[in-house]
């Protein structure tokens, strides 16, 4: 089963979401939902809660170059993804 949920962007998140996209999904290799974070169309990170705590996995760029992302935008994207996962547990 695959679930895909995109957030409705709030006004303050509009600029962040121009480059970031966060999707909740239920991959077949996970027991719980994950938040997939895409930056400029490429998967940048995934937040999961497989071991009763939030964990993050960072993905390599397809072109193998290092990621260069704005600190505040990256932190906002990570916090938004965590918030989305937290809201699904209620």
């Amino acid at each position: 089963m695959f679930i895909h949920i995109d957030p409705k962007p709030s006004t303050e998140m509009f600029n962040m979401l121009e480059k970031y996209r966060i999707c909740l999904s239920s991959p077949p290799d996970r027991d719980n939902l994950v938040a997939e974070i895409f930056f400029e169309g490429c998967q940048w990170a995934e937040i999961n809660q497989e071991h009763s705590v939030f964990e993050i996995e960072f993905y390599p760029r397809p072109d193998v170059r290092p990621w260069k992302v704005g600190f505040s935008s990256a932190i906002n994207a990570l916090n938004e993804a965590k918030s989305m996962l937290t809201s699904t547990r209620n």
Side-chain angles (χ1 to χ4, degrees):
M1 178 169 92
F2 180 78
I3 299 171
H4 174 89
I5 304 169
D6 280 326
K8 293 182 181 177
S10 64
T11 305
E12 70 246 10
M13 289 190 58
F14 181 74
N15 289 334
M16 181 191 80
L17 290 177
E18 288 180 9
K19 292 188 177 191
Y20 287 94
R21 182 170 53 95
I22 303 167
C23 302
L24 294 185
S25 66
S26 177
D29 62 336
R30 302 283 188 179
D31 292 329
N32 298 305
L33 290 176
V34 301
E36 298 172 335
I37 306 170
F38 295 83
F39 180 77
E40 295 182 344
C42 297
Q43 188 167 5
W44 173 62
E46 172 188 288
I47 296 178
N48 69 66
Q49 47 190 343
E50 290 297 302
H51 302 104
S52 302
V53 296
F54 288 101
E55 295 179 324
I56 185 165
E57 291 183 31
F58 290 99
Y59 288 84
R61 282 175 50 133
D63 62 7
V64 192
R65 293 182 13 224
W67 288 102
K68 287 190 178 183
V69 298
F71 180 82
S72 295
S73 295
I75 295 298
N76 288 340
L78 293 170
N79 283 327
E80 179 63 20
K82 180 182 175 187
S83 176
M84 290 171 65
L85 281 176
T86 301
S87 69
T88 63
R89 294 196 294 182
N90 297 331

